[in-house]
Amino acid sequence: RQDVLVLTPWLAPIVWEGTFSRDILNAQYLQKNLVTGVVTFAVEKYWFFIEGFMTSANKYFLAGHQVNFYLFTDNPEKVSHLQMAPENHLFVIPVQNGSRWQDISRCRMRILSSHIQRQLRHEVDYLYSMDIDVQLLAHIGVEIIDALVATISSWQVSPQQENKARGTRPEVQGDFHYTASFYGGSVAEVYKLTTACFGGLMEDRENGVEALGHHERHLNKYLQQHKPTRLLSPEYYWDTEL
């Protein structure tokens, strides 16, 4: 493709539809016998999105490969029986909700870091965090697999530039803005990211500061200092407000 940016200034690939062969990547992935995990949170009113997200993710996320879905929720009793593909497994993990959505945002990084250390690092090779209030509309395959993966925010593509997607050129510092709604990588790298972000959120709390965007702001700070090894285009997480 000539219409989009496919390489960052630090030479990490930017994955767009049409820039890879999924058949070749699937064959390589299968040889490694890997397990990928997906973490998502459904607290308070967000339990409403569980069925839509899980049904679409079960169908489209790394279809044909083994995927463990980890659903953290304060309403485990509201998780209906979901029919999963034979290679997929759903684990429902009860959590307490926070008194404010900012507390939930802060706890998300703590919970992720803690569970990676105690459990997930023994069960999966790669781990991705996704928001619950979305539905997958097309296949997301092993082209997303890399050590540290971030998704370019769709707000970096203005409506006027939407067709040519030229709005993803790096800023002066050579950085992009990433969404906290979809990121991941190897378990070791995600552990380092979530631990650092939780530390930053706690430091803010001790100083009486609440950054706009909360954990997304800390995610971007971390990724400026620790460059992603692979970027996903806004195609992978498009904000329908645009």
Side-chain angles (χ1 to χ4, degrees), residues 4-238:
V4 292
L5 188 67
V6 296
L7 202 64
T8 70
W10 60 94
L11 305 183
I14 305 175
V15 181
W16 296 82
E17 191 66 39
T19 62
F20 58 89
S21 170
R22 187 165 284 141
D23 290 339
I24 293 175
L25 295 175
N26 279 334
Q28 295 173 343
Y29 184 87
L30 285 170
Q31 292 176 357
K32 299 176 182 178
N33 195 30
L34 299 171
V35 180
T36 299
V38 174
V39 171
T40 190
F41 286 76
V43 295
E44 295 187 341
K45 62 183 180 180
Y46 282 85
W47 66 265
F48 176 80
F49 297 103
I50 292 174
E51 185 172 358
F53 173 82
M54 287 305 310
T55 301
S56 63
N58 179 58
K59 179 179 180 180
Y60 287 123
F61 191 90
L62 268 65
H65 302 293
Q66 186 173 341
V67 180
N68 289 353
F69 292 95
Y70 299 95
L71 172 62
F72 292 86
T73 180
D74 59 344
N75 286 296
E77 70 281 358
K78 292 186 177 181
V79 179
S80 60
H81 178 70
L82 299 169
Q83 188 67 37
M84 304 296 291
E87 64 273 11
N88 293 340
H89 298 88
L90 173 62
F91 301 91
V92 179
I93 304 172
V95 294
Q96 291 183 335
N97 65 357
S99 58
R100 305 177 307 149
W101 72 267
Q102 294 93 333
D103 297 324
I104 297 170
S105 173
R106 184 182 300 114
C107 289
R108 183 169 177 161
M109 288 297 185
R110 175 184 61 79
I111 292 169
L112 267 175
S113 176
S114 175
H115 275 77
I116 290 171
Q117 178 67 15
R118 292 185 314 185
Q119 175 186 356
L120 304 188
R121 65 190 179 99
H122 304 295
E123 298 178 354
V124 298
D125 301 286
Y126 291 89
L127 186 65
Y128 290 82
S129 174
M130 299 185 74
D131 280 355
I132 192 75
D133 57 342
V134 297
Q135 291 193 32
L136 281 65
L137 302 178
H139 287 285
I140 294 179
V142 297
E143 73 277 358
I144 71 169
I145 299 295
D146 214 321
L148 184 57
V149 181
T151 304
I152 300 171
S153 171
S154 53
W155 285 91
Q156 269 197 243
V157 182
S158 69
Q160 292 78 16
Q161 295 169 316
E162 184 175 324
N163 292 331
K164 295 185 177 180
R166 296 187 181 276
T168 55
R169 286 194 297 268
E171 299 171 4
V172 176
Q173 301 92 338
D175 289 316
F176 299 82
H177 183 78
Y178 307 105
T179 176
S181 300
F182 185 19
Y183 64 89
S186 69
V187 173
E189 290 297 332
V190 176
Y191 176 71
K192 288 190 284 188
L193 182 152
T194 54
T195 302
C197 288
F198 175 64
L201 286 162
M202 290 305 296
E203 184 177 347
D204 281 357
R205 183 180 186 181
E206 292 170 2
N207 293 329
V209 174
E210 284 191 1
L212 293 174
H214 292 84
H215 67 295
E216 182 165 294
R217 185 64 59 89
H218 285 277
L219 174 80
N220 275 271
K221 179 181 178 181
Y222 182 88
L223 293 172
Q224 287 178 11
Q225 300 169 348
H226 307 81
K227 300 297 188 188
T229 57
R230 180 170 303 233
L231 279 64
L232 304 182
S233 76
E235 295 169 321
Y236 283 85
Y237 198 92
W238 188 257

